[in-house]
Coordinates of all heavy atoms in Angstrom, one line a residue:
D326 N -18.4 6.1 17.9 CA -18.3 4.8 18.5 C -17.4 3.9 17.7 O -17.2 4.1 16.5 CB -19.6 4.2 18.7 CG -20.5 4.8 19.8 OD1 -19.9 5.8 20.4 OD2 -21.6 4.4 20.0
T327 N -16.9 2.8 18.3 CA -16.2 1.8 17.6 C -16.9 0.5 17.8 O -17.4 0.1 18.9 CB -14.8 1.7 18.3 OG1 -14.0 2.9 18.0 CG2 -14.0 0.5 17.7
V328 N -17.0 -0.3 16.7 CA -17.5 -1.7 16.7 C -16.3 -2.5 16.6 O -15.6 -2.6 15.6 CB -18.5 -1.9 15.5 CG1 -18.9 -3.4 15.5 CG2 -19.6 -0.9 15.6
L329 N -15.9 -3.3 17.7 CA -14.7 -4.1 17.8 C -15.1 -5.5 17.6 O -15.9 -6.1 18.3 CB -14.1 -3.9 19.2 CG -12.7 -4.6 19.4 CD1 -11.7 -3.9 18.4 CD2 -12.3 -4.5 20.8
V330 N -14.5 -6.1 16.5 CA -14.9 -7.4 16.1 C -13.9 -8.4 16.5 O -12.7 -8.3 16.2 CB -15.1 -7.5 14.5 CG1 -15.6 -8.8 14.1 CG2 -16.1 -6.4 14.1
A331 N -14.3 -9.4 17.2 CA -13.4 -10.5 17.7 C -12.9 -11.4 16.6 O -13.5 -11.4 15.5 CB -14.0 -11.3 18.8
D332 N -11.9 -12.2 16.9 CA -11.4 -13.1 15.9 C -12.5 -14.1 15.5 O -13.3 -14.5 16.3 CB -10.2 -13.9 16.5 CG -9.0 -13.0 16.8 OD1 -9.0 -11.9 16.4 OD2 -8.0 -13.6 17.4
G333 N -12.4 -14.5 14.3 CA -13.4 -15.5 13.8 C -13.8 -15.2 12.3 O -13.3 -14.3 11.7
T334 N -14.6 -16.1 11.8 CA -15.1 -15.9 10.4 C -16.6 -15.6 10.6 O -17.4 -16.4 11.1 CB -14.9 -17.2 9.6 OG1 -13.5 -17.4 9.5 CG2 -15.5 -17.1 8.2
Y335 N -17.0 -14.5 10.0 CA -18.4 -14.0 10.1 C -19.2 -14.2 8.8 O -18.7 -13.8 7.7 CB -18.4 -12.6 10.5 CG -17.8 -12.3 11.9 CD1 -16.5 -12.3 12.1 CD2 -18.7 -12.2 13.0 CE1 -15.9 -12.2 13.4 CE2 -18.2 -12.1 14.3 CZ -16.8 -12.1 14.5 OH -16.3 -11.9 15.7
T336 N -20.3 -15.0 8.9 CA -21.1 -15.3 7.7 C -22.5 -15.1 8.0 O -22.9 -14.8 9.1 CB -20.8 -16.8 7.3 OG1 -21.3 -17.6 8.3 CG2 -19.4 -17.1 7.0
G337 N -23.3 -15.2 6.9 CA -24.8 -15.1 7.1 C -25.3 -13.7 7.2 O -24.6 -12.7 7.1
I338 N -26.7 -13.7 7.4 CA -27.4 -12.4 7.5 C -26.8 -11.6 8.6 O -26.6 -12.0 9.7 CB -28.9 -12.6 7.7 CG1 -29.5 -13.5 6.6 CG2 -29.6 -11.3 7.8 CD1 -29.3 -12.9 5.2
G339 N -26.6 -10.3 8.3 CA -26.0 -9.4 9.3 C -24.5 -9.3 9.3 O -23.8 -8.4 9.9
N340 N -23.9 -10.2 8.5 CA -22.4 -10.2 8.3 C -22.1 -10.1 6.8 O -21.0 -10.5 6.4 CB -21.8 -11.5 8.9 CG -21.9 -11.5 10.4 OD1 -21.6 -10.5 11.0 ND2 -22.2 -12.6 11.0
R341 N -23.0 -9.5 6.0 CA -22.7 -9.1 4.6 C -23.7 -8.0 4.3 O -24.6 -7.7 5.1 CB -22.9 -10.3 3.7 CG -24.3 -10.9 3.6 CD -24.3 -12.0 2.5 NE -25.7 -12.5 2.4 CZ -26.1 -13.7 2.9 NH1 -25.2 -14.5 3.6 NH2 -27.3 -14.1 2.7
E342 N -23.4 -7.3 3.2 CA -24.1 -6.0 2.9 C -24.2 -5.1 4.2 O -25.3 -4.6 4.5 CB -25.5 -6.3 2.4 CG -25.5 -7.0 1.0 CD -25.6 -8.5 1.0 OE1 -26.4 -9.1 1.8 OE2 -24.8 -9.1 0.4
I343 N -23.1 -5.0 4.9 CA -23.1 -4.2 6.1 C -23.1 -2.7 5.8 O -22.2 -2.2 5.0 CB -21.9 -4.6 6.9 CG1 -21.9 -6.2 7.2 CG2 -21.8 -3.8 8.2 CD1 -20.6 -6.7 7.7
R344 N -24.0 -2.0 6.5 CA -24.1 -0.6 6.2 C -23.8 0.3 7.4 O -24.1 -0.2 8.6 CB -25.6 -0.3 5.8 CG -26.0 -1.0 4.5 CD -27.5 -1.1 4.4 NE -28.0 -1.6 3.1 CZ -28.1 -2.9 2.8 NH1 -27.7 -3.8 3.7 NH2 -28.5 -3.3 1.6
Y345 N -23.3 1.4 7.2 CA -22.9 2.4 8.3 C -24.0 3.4 8.5 O -24.0 4.1 9.5 CB -21.6 3.1 8.0 CG -20.4 2.4 8.3 CD1 -20.2 1.0 8.0 CD2 -19.3 3.0 8.9 CE1 -19.0 0.3 8.2 CE2 -18.1 2.4 9.1 CZ -18.0 1.0 8.8 OH -16.8 0.4 9.1
Q346 N -25.0 3.5 7.6 CA -26.1 4.4 7.7 C -25.7 5.9 7.9 O -26.4 6.6 8.6 CB -27.0 4.0 9.0 CG -27.6 2.6 8.8 CD -28.4 2.2 10.0 OE1 -27.9 2.2 11.1 NE2 -29.7 1.9 9.8
G347 N -24.6 6.2 7.2 CA -24.2 7.6 7.3 C -23.4 8.1 8.5 O -23.1 9.2 8.6
K348 N -23.1 7.1 9.4 CA -22.6 7.5 10.7 C -21.0 7.4 10.6 O -20.4 6.6 10.0 CB -23.1 6.5 11.8 CG -24.6 6.7 12.0 CD -25.0 5.8 13.2 CE -25.2 4.4 12.8 NZ -25.8 3.5 13.8
A349 N -20.4 8.3 11.4 CA -18.9 8.4 11.6 C -18.6 7.4 12.7 O -18.2 7.8 13.8 CB -18.5 9.8 11.9
I350 N -18.6 6.1 12.3 CA -18.2 5.1 13.3 C -17.0 4.3 12.7 O -16.8 4.3 11.5 CB -19.4 4.1 13.6 CG1 -19.9 3.4 12.3 CG2 -20.5 4.9 14.2 CD1 -21.0 2.4 12.5

Side-chain angles (χ1 to χ4, degrees):
D326 288 356
T327 294
V328 178
L329 186 64
V330 185
D332 295 353
T334 298
Y335 292 81
T336 62
I338 303 300
N340 290 317
R341 61 177 183 259
E342 291 95 46
I343 300 165
R344 300 161 173 83
Y345 278 43
Q346 299 178 301
K348 295 182 286 190
I350 59 176

